[in-house]
Amino acid sequence: MALLSTVGVAAAQDTELHPGQPHPWQINLQEALSPIEAQIHWFSNYTLAFIIPITILVAGLLGWCMYRFSAKRNPVPSRTSHNTTIEVIWTLAPVIILLFLAIPSFQLLTAQYNPSREPELTVKATGYQWYWGYEYQPAGASPEAAASPVSFESYPLTEEDRESAGKGDKAAYPRLLAVDNEMVVPVNTVVRVLSTSADVIHSFAMPSMGVKVDAVPGRVNEYFFEPLREGIFYGQCSELCGQAHYNMPIAVRVVSKEQFATWYAAAGEDLTNANAQLTAAIEAASAPKVAGR
């Protein structure tokens, strides 16, 4: 018991320090880091409030029938062929329950495709076997910026490249989830994701942001998310797409709006240097302050 308690505490601390990724002993959904994911959490708990009592009721009825109406206790079976009251109950009850589930379900579905305000940033995510390509188009960008948007590929980070990339911390950059170039977006910003594919069907999925949208060749699917917290958050391709499907991660780095503006201005010419400067700025902002300095 002591070992299980220690493991549970360690997992909880890891979740707090590094949200937006799977953790050992995790049984619930990932922490909600966007308004839509918060609504998904609510709907999941709301649905469980119906599923659990229904499951208990059905299991209880099955157990009672197996006991009460076994051949030993009930050698002469009933000849009843019709009971109006029971038939009305088992017809109306499921209809009412389904209505209680359908109405909030449709409300959530509507919210997923209708953001609260106009998107301030558009990122086109193109799936390849087996990596992602990102192309940026901020809202209100100048014609010059629109003609040459920031674009780059995001490949899975190999174990050999960790140290050279400055990503040796496996808690912050997990195995099979870390990438060489994260998608960078500003916090508290509505981001439009345009998802497509260059070869087979992929799926762009970010569990903590409530994002899951198919990437289909020859088609562009649209989705939205609004990150509420700074940090690096992870997802994966969630459509079976070939032998390296298991290693097609998605990493989103959420930064302040000022940091994003600086990064975006530099990323068009030198992505590597822009990422290095962004990492340095984040580390400087999170470093403990010394009194009097």
Side-chain angles (χ1 to χ4, degrees), residues 53-272:
I54 290 174
T55 302
I56 294 173
L57 174 63
V58 172
L61 289 175
L62 285 173
W64 167 249
C65 290
M66 292 167 62
Y67 173 81
R68 174 65 181 80
F69 300 107
S70 65
K72 178 180 179 180
R73 294 179 176 81
N74 193 56
V76 181
S78 171
R79 299 296 182 180
T80 302
S81 62
H82 183 78
N83 188 304
T84 302
T85 301
I86 292 178
E87 291 191 5
V88 169
I89 292 173
W90 73 34
T91 300
L92 289 181
V95 170
I96 294 172
I97 292 171
L98 288 175
L99 282 175
F100 274 96
L101 293 174
I103 292 173
S105 174
F106 285 126
Q107 290 174 337
L108 174 58
L109 186 62
T110 300
Q112 286 178 300
Y113 291 94
N114 293 274
S116 58
R117 60 185 187 277
E118 284 298 310
E120 303 159 65
L121 174 67
T122 297
V123 182
K124 182 180 180 182
T126 304
Y128 301 90
Q129 291 177 307
W130 290 269
Y131 61 97
W132 293 92
Y134 301 119
E135 184 176 325
Y136 284 69
Q137 180 58 67
S142 65
E144 294 78 11
S148 56
V150 172
S151 62
F152 56 88
E153 283 73 45
S154 178
Y155 291 89
L157 185 67
T158 63
E159 295 300 303
E160 296 77 14
D161 294 335
R162 277 187 175 276
E163 296 305 324
S164 61
K167 298 179 178 180
D169 183 1
K170 289 190 177 182
Y173 303 98
R175 177 178 174 272
L176 298 182
L177 288 178
V179 300
D180 57 352
N181 298 313
E182 295 90 5
M183 176 200 289
V184 180
V185 299
V187 70
N188 296 322
T189 299
V190 176
V191 180
R192 176 195 284 120
V193 176
L194 302 178
S195 179
T196 188
S197 170
D199 36 53
V200 300
I201 299 178
H202 301 281
S203 185
F204 187 88
M206 285 288 301
S208 61
M209 299 290 177
V211 176
K212 189 174 187 295
V213 55
D214 284 346
V216 182
R219 179 174 178 174
V220 177
N221 290 325
E222 185 174 310
Y223 203 84
F224 304 87
F225 70 96
E226 182 182 354
L228 300 177
R229 177 172 175 175
E230 296 180 30
I232 303 179
F233 313 115
Y234 296 96
Q236 290 176 296
C237 174
S238 60
E239 183 71 35
L240 185 60
C241 57
Q243 64 178 2
H245 165 69
Y246 75 97
N247 192 23
M248 191 174 169
I250 299 164
V252 176
R253 185 187 287 271
V254 183
V255 299
S256 69
K257 295 187 178 183
E258 294 76 16
Q259 290 171 335
F260 175 79
T262 302
W263 173 86
Y264 187 84
E269 295 184 1
D270 189 344
L271 178 67
T272 302

